[in-house]
């Protein structure tokens, strides 16, 4: 088996910490192989409708379970009398930077100790060792550099080389490889400068209480009070973000694999054994990528996926497009797959999500792009930032409208959830501010499960 959840091994599904039921977990390794015991627990559920929720990047199992408990709590009071709900939490190998807060979510000891600044706190360091097993020497050196913050170009070059090595990027061939993000190929000092500026703006947005980030790009337009500290020592915050983006780069690929090779085939097997069972897929961040890529495994004509709700989805807003606006000969990675859903694909998005407004475009921009790392191009936008794009006829609704009038019975629809998804600190803003009854009501509306 490949990497397992959080680096700590498999855990079979149980209801510990979950206030609704029946609840079970589907546990996958990094290659999409399922723990068959967890699949069996789902197969034995007595339910008409099953909510299948996939957590995002930057989660460990305990964080994911707490998320599921919070998000699932309102559902029993929202569904109609003929609906018997089952609850499934998808657990896949991710990791958590413990210095990134989740609104109203943390418990004592869950966050980094105060005063760490750019240094790696104990919990994050443990997570990185589980994420990259056998690479303790490289992580030791990265941690040393982040703690010391030397004002030396050579130190940044060494840091960048270590990050590239952990990310599996061949420095010799990286520039010529079209699938390698420029964040790993451009000059490391310039990359750290750009990321430091982005962090400064994200922090200013969070401090203002809105979670919004000024400006549309990843650099420039800093404005008063948002400048990066003088000298190279002021760029180590950007260096830490580069390390975070290296885990992002690996998670992005892994989320698609877990969805297409893992969750998708498992749902097909479950549906074959329980043909009357209806599945409602929910995904947060990269979990939205997991559930969306699972649609590739839905057989033609199958109707068991009754709805898909994407919460702050961390993948391209063009994913479902038949034709890309900037390349009419190509479609999105998931083009047309919304038609495999016997109901709508609802993309909830928020302008207060700094992770998707600023950092997603940075991490997704490809090497060789003529705009370079410093430019902004809407082709790199995330579906959780501005909703579904380039799908003709896809409506765009406010959250109030969606709750008052419902959502379409089929096709893609975008719902601006910024009225509730708005709180959170730097660097991610409101990216994880998703535990709201209003969003549970969107899921119920999408699945036609209401009273």
């Amino acid at each position: 088996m490949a990497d397992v959840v959080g680096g700590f091994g498999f855990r079979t599904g149980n209801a510990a910490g979950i206030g609704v039921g029946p609840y079970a977990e589907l546990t996958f390794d990094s290659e999409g192989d399922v723990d068959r015991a967890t699949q069996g627990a789902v197969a034995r559920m007595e339910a008409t409708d099953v909510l299948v929720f996939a957590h995002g990047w930057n989660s460990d199992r305990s964080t994911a379970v707490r998320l599921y408990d919070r998000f699932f709590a309102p559902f029993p009071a929202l569904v109609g009398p003929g609906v018997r709900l089952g609850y499934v939490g998808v657990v896949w190998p991710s990791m958590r930077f413990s210095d990134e807060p989740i609104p109203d979510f943390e418990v004592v000891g869950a966050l980094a100790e105060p005063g760490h600044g750019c240094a790696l706190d104990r919990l994050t360091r443990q997570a990185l060792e589980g994420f990259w097993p056998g690479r303790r020497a490289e992580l030791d050196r990265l941690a040393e550099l982040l703690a010391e913050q030397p004002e030396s170009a050579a130190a940044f070059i060494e840091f960048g080389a270590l990050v590239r090595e952990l990310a599996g990027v061949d420095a010799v061939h990286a520039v010529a490889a079209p699938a390698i993000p420029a964040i790993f190929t451009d000059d490391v000092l310039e990359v750290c400068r750009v990321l430091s500026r982005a962090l400064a703006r994200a922090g200013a947005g969070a401090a203002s209480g809105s979670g919004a980030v000024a400006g549309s790009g990843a650099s420039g337009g800093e404005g008063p009070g948002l400048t990066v500290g003088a000298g190279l020592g002021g760029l180590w915050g950007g260096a830490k973000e580069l390390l975070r983006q290296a885990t992002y780069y690996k998670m992005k690929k892994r989320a698609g694999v877990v969805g297409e090779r893992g969750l998708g085939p498992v749902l097909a097997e479950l549906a074959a054994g329980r043909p009357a069972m209806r599945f409602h897929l929910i995904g947060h961040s990269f979990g939205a990528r997991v559930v969306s890529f699972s649609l590739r495994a839905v057989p033609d004509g199958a109707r068991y996926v009754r709805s898909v709700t994407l919460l702050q989805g961390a993948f391209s807003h063009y994913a479902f497009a038949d034709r890309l606006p900037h390349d009419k000969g190509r479609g999105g990675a998931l083009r047309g797959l919304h038609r495999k859903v016997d109901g709508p694909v609802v993309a909830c998005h928020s302008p207060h999500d700094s992770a998707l407004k600023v950092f997603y475009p940075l991490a997704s921009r490809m090497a060789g792009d003529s705009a370079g790392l410093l430019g902004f191009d809407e082709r790199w936008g995330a579906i959780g930032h501005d909703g579904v794009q380039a799908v003709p006829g896809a409506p765009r609704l406010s959250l109030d409208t969606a709750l008052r009038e419902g959502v379409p019975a089929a096709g893609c629809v975008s719902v601006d959830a910024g009225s509730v998804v708005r709180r959170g600190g730097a660097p991610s803003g409101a990216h994880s501010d998703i535990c709201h009854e209003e969003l549970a009501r969107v899921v119920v509306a999408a699945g036609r499960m209401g009273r």
Side-chain angles (χ1 to χ4, degrees):
M1 300 290 281
D3 296 345
V4 293
V5 176
F8 301 112
F10 285 126
R11 295 287 299 272
T12 56
N14 60 74
I18 301 293
V20 296
Y23 171 77
E25 291 173 4
L26 283 173
T27 306
F28 297 92
D29 72 4
S30 60
E31 295 179 353
D33 293 326
V34 69
D35 177 358
R36 291 293 175 180
T38 66
Q39 182 176 339
V42 178
R44 292 188 294 272
M45 275 187 172
E46 293 300 326
T48 61
D49 295 77
V50 178
L51 306 177
V52 181
F53 195 159
H55 66 79
W57 168 63
N58 209 16
S59 293
D60 55 23
R61 182 183 178 275
S62 63
T63 304
V65 170
R66 286 187 292 147
L67 169 65
Y68 298 152
D69 180 49
R70 287 278 302 279
F71 191 82
F72 285 149
F75 280 91
L78 299 177
V79 299
V83 175
R84 286 179 293 132
L85 287 178
Y87 303 87
V88 172
V90 175
V91 181
W92 59 284
S94 183
M95 71 151 289
R96 176 151 169 72
F97 272 75
S98 60
D99 59 353
E100 186 171 321
I102 300 174
D104 296 335
F105 202 78
E106 304 303 335
V107 295
V108 176
L111 286 177
E113 296 88 343
H116 271 276
C118 296
L120 294 179
D121 65 278
R122 176 180 55 84
L123 295 177
T124 297
R125 177 59 186 274
Q126 289 176 351
L128 287 169
E129 290 182 5
F131 190 71
W132 282 305
R135 308 305 292 271
R136 178 170 292 184
E138 292 89 339
L139 292 170
D140 281 344
R141 181 55 179 158
L142 288 172
E144 182 180 356
L145 289 169
L146 287 172
E148 295 178 356
Q149 302 179 44
E151 294 205 32
S152 160
F156 280 93
I157 292 171
E158 180 186 4
F159 189 93
L162 288 168
V163 170
R164 281 198 305 269
E165 185 175 345
L166 290 174
V169 176
D170 186 335
V172 175
H173 301 102
V175 175
I180 303 299
I183 203 167
F184 297 123
T185 63
D186 285 9
D187 177 77
V188 66
L189 283 173
E190 190 59 31
V191 168
C192 291
R193 186 171 289 111
V194 169
L195 292 174
S196 295
R197 289 170 177 166
L199 285 167
R201 290 200 314 281
S208 72
S210 69
V213 181
S216 59
S219 64
E222 293 175 59
L226 298 183
T227 55
V228 176
L232 296 181
L235 303 184
W236 283 103
K240 184 176 183 180
E241 184 60 31
L242 178 60
L243 178 60
R244 189 192 308 264
Q245 294 299 332
T247 67
Y248 170 106
Y249 176 60
K250 187 171 180 178
M251 286 298 96
K252 182 177 181 179
K253 295 187 291 184
R254 179 177 292 177
V257 168
V258 170
E260 183 175 359
R261 301 180 189 174
L263 181 60
V266 165
L267 291 177
E269 288 183 29
L270 291 169
R274 301 287 297 277
M277 190 176 278
R278 301 181 289 261
F279 293 93
H280 306 272
L281 310 186
I282 310 161
H284 169 237
S285 186
F286 275 157
R289 183 177 175 91
V290 170
V291 300
S292 296
F293 273 71
S294 78
L295 298 176
R296 287 182 169 176
V298 175
D300 291 340
R303 312 310 296 171
Y304 57 84
V305 178
R306 295 297 297 272
S307 68
V308 177
T309 305
L310 310 174
L311 306 174
Q312 302 311 114
F315 63 96
S316 172
H317 54 194
Y318 294 139
F320 293 101
D322 289 329
R323 293 180 178 83
L324 300 178
H326 52 279
D327 187 350
K328 300 295 186 182
R330 297 173 53 219
L334 302 172
R335 56 187 176 276
L337 289 187
H338 54 284
R339 302 183 185 100
K340 291 196 172 188
V341 180
D342 187 23
V345 174
V346 181
C348 295
H349 58 95
S350 170
H352 308 305
D353 186 331
S354 305
L356 300 184
K357 185 181 179 74
V358 174
F359 295 106
Y360 177 88
L362 278 178
S364 297
R365 190 168 294 124
M366 298 300 166
D369 175 41
S370 60
L373 184 62
L374 296 179
F376 178 78
D377 192 320
E378 66 178 10
R379 78 185 68 180
W380 309 128
I383 200 168
H385 169 58
D386 56 6
V388 176
Q389 302 290 328
V391 175
R396 306 184 67 81
L397 308 176
S398 69
L399 180 59
D400 286 344
T401 299
L403 296 179
R404 183 177 63 252
E405 302 177 7
V407 298
C412 292
V413 57
S414 301
V415 174
D416 185 344
S419 60
V420 297
V421 181
R422 58 183 303 108
R423 298 177 303 149
S428 293
H431 184 63
S432 295
D433 185 21
I434 62 168
C435 291
H436 298 281
E437 181 178 321
E438 292 88 343
L439 298 183
R441 291 168 60 194
V442 170
V443 175
V444 170
R448 292 153 285 173
M449 296 179 287
R451 294 182 178 275

